């Protein structure tokens, strides 16, 4: 069974950098697929932050510009998120998730099939 | 970015009802449309990917259809455990991946 678990600080000061780690068990990151982050502000919908392939190839949401950096550590079976210049607007629950791609018959898909439980992050002084 | 418009944003229904949720995209995405269920305080759960591929373990009362820009999630007979918020997500080749605004299904 694939399991993901986020870890990191629950409170970040404005202008500081958020660092989160997602630990994966039940599947080796180096075997493939994309590993990413999605966030949800309190009472609001879901926002895709980006993801990273096991090779290190990254995809980021342009709305976050150069604030986002993701990396993967296959030796620890972990991947991480760094988000700089945090503001109150970045207050959210941050989820890590696996994204798989494939095709079944005529239907092509790319979807987040396994998620961590989420970690709340508050930006406040 | 590809915009997703879900409707309705909320609905009230009873156990046994047939529920239909729609998701319209701002441009054609082929079959790259997924549906998630989220309960309060929990992570989203993938129900359907690729427009109509039911995930393992998801009850057959859930079904998805559509193509291009118009997609539908149907719950054929609503059960107590189905009261939740449902999100569509497009995962077409054009990044970023985006989600619809959600549909809250209430009693």
């Amino acid at each position: 069974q694939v399991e993901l678990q986020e870890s990191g600080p629950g409170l970040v000061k404005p202008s500081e950098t958020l660092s989160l780690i997602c630990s994966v068990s039940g599947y080796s990151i180096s075997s493939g697929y994309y590993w990413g982050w999605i966030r949800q502000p309190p009472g609001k919908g879901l926002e895709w932050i980006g993801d990273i392939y096991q090779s290190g190839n990254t995809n980021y949401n342009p709305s976050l510009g150069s604030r986002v950096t993701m990396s993967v550590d296959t030796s620890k079976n972990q991947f991480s998120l760094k988000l700089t210049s945090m503001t109150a607007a970045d207050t959210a629950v941050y989820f890590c998730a696996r994204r798989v791609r494939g095709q079944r018959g005529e239907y092509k898909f790319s979807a987040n099939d396994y998620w961590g439980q989420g970690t709340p992050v508050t930006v406040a002084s | 970015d590809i915009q997703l418009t879900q409707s309705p944003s909320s609905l009230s229904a009873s156990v046994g009802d047939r529920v239909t949720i729609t998701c319209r995209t701002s441009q054609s995405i082929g079959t790259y449309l997924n549906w998630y269920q989220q309960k309060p305080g929990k992570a989203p759960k993938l129900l359907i990917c690729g427009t109509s591929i039911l995930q393992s373990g998801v009850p057959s009362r859930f079904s998805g259809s559509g193509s291009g820009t118009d997609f539908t999630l149907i719950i054929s007979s609503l059960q107590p455990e189905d009261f939740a918020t449902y999100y569509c997500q497009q995962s077409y080749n054009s990044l970023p991946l985006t989600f619809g605004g959600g549909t809250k299904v209430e009693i």
Side-chain angles (χ1 to χ4, degrees), chain A residues 11-93:
Chain A
L11 179 64
V12 178
K13 290 182 167 56
S15 80
E16 292 190 343
T17 296
L18 171 67
S19 295
L20 295 176
I21 291 173
C22 183
S23 300
V24 180
S25 60
Y27 188 85
S28 174
I29 288 179
S30 58
S31 295
Y33 297 137
Y34 292 85
W35 304 89
W37 297 89
I38 294 154
R39 69 181 182 179
Q40 185 171 38
K44 295 188 177 181
L46 300 162
E47 179 185 27
W48 180 79
I49 298 172
D51 52 31
I52 183 168
Y53 195 63
Q54 52 91 11
S55 63
N57 184 41
T58 54
N59 302 297
Y60 298 148
N61 192 326
S63 69
L64 295 170
S66 59
R67 297 175 56 206
V68 181
T69 304
M70 294 182 187
S71 61
V72 64
D73 186 340
T74 54
S75 67
K76 295 181 178 180
N77 218 36
Q78 296 176 336
F79 60 102
S80 65
L81 166 70
K82 289 189 187 300
L83 186 62
T84 63
S85 304
M86 295 283 283
T87 71
D90 297 310
T91 293
V93 175

Side-chain angles (χ1 to χ4, degrees), chain A residues 103-114:
Chain A
Q103 183 167 356
R104 190 176 301 175
E106 62 180 312
Y107 295 96
K108 297 181 180 180
F109 63 88
S110 173
N112 297 107
D113 62 345
Y114 287 98

Side-chain angles (χ1 to χ4, degrees), chain B residues 63-107:
Chain B
S63 65
S65 64
S67 67
T69 62
D70 292 295
F71 301 86
T72 301
L73 172 70
I74 292 176
I75 310 173
S76 59
S77 178
L78 198 65
Q79 297 302 301
E81 60 268 29
D82 301 336
F83 291 95
T85 300
Y86 294 84
Y87 293 94
C88 57
Q89 177 200 38
Q90 68 80 21
S91 54
Y92 194 52
N93 291 335
S94 171
L95 297 176
L97 307 186
T98 47
F99 291 88
T103 296
K104 187 173 184 179
V105 177
E106 300 175 294
I107 301 174

Side-chain angles (χ1 to χ4, degrees), chain B residues 1 7 22 41 45 55 61 70-71 75 83 85:
Chain B
D1 298 4
S7 60
T22 64
K45 172 186 175 183
Q55 293 303 286
R61 62 180 179 273
D70 292 295
F71 301 86
I75 310 173
F83 291 95
T85 300

